[in-house]
Amino acid sequence: MKTFTGRVVAPGEVKAEALVSHGGLNTLASFQKALQFGDKMATCGDQNNTDLYGKQMAGKALCLPQTIGSTTGGLVLYCACSMGRQPACMLFSQPIDSLAGAGVILADVWLEGENTHMPVIDSLGEEFLNYVKDGMTITIKENGVIEVA
């Protein structure tokens, strides 16, 4: 087991299976099926992200460098949380971008209920993203410490 420490963007504790992307996450392309067509598993629809395409994102510890895409990114993350189709958590190797940060913080502040929560930690570093692999168990402690086993 290895531990990493990052900056808490949205607090919370969770234990989930890792899903790793080494490229940026296009939030709209990735979550479009979940938001528009009722895909409760949030199967990634971004054909340009070969790490995630076709994989279930809902309930996973989504490990990534950053998000990319249009200005809808924050709203997409907020909507995924409001519909209960969000990852269990999002773990960024880089600092979170302002659009994703806005969506994550609004979801954390505005939404209530266990099924809408999504802890987010950023600035975990490249070593984190190089170490974690799909299927590993991720545990987030409330203080921003990440355990990867």
Side-chain angles (χ1 to χ4, degrees):
M1 177 174 57
K2 192 162 181 153
T3 61
F4 298 89
T5 303
R7 177 178 64 164
V8 177
V9 178
E13 295 181 9
V14 72
K15 186 174 188 175
E17 181 181 321
L19 180 61
V20 181
S21 174
H22 293 281
L25 175 77
N26 182 319
T27 52
L28 180 58
S30 296
F31 284 95
Q32 186 172 6
K33 290 179 185 177
L35 302 182
Q36 288 187 309
F37 306 113
D39 175 12
K40 294 180 181 178
M41 306 316 287
T43 305
C44 181
D46 182 4
Q47 296 178 5
N48 293 319
N49 189 320
T50 56
D51 292 329
L52 298 180
Y53 181 67
K55 294 181 180 177
Q56 172 190 334
M57 297 182 295
K60 303 290 183 172
L62 189 54
C63 307
L64 65 158
Q66 62 188 357
T67 63
I68 59 173
S70 71
T71 56
T72 61
L75 180 61
V76 168
L77 291 175
Y78 171 83
C79 288
C81 290
S82 73
M83 297 171 78
R85 296 177 182 163
Q86 75 279 16
C89 60
M90 291 181 78
L91 305 173
F92 292 87
S93 63
Q94 299 176 10
I96 193 171
D97 62 280
S98 59
L99 296 171
V104 164
I105 291 167
L106 289 175
D108 185 54
V109 172
W110 287 355
L111 299 175
E112 294 181 16
E114 186 177 315
N115 294 334
T116 62
H117 190 66
M118 182 176 67
V120 176
I121 311 292
D122 78 347
S123 301
L124 288 163
E126 289 306 310
E127 182 184 357
F128 166 76
L129 204 55
N130 290 330
Y131 180 80
V132 69
K133 306 287 183 249
D134 283 357
M136 290 179 135
T137 301
I138 303 285
T139 304
I140 297 180
K141 304 292 185 179
E142 193 167 320
N143 59 1
V145 173
I146 310 296
E147 293 178 350
V148 180

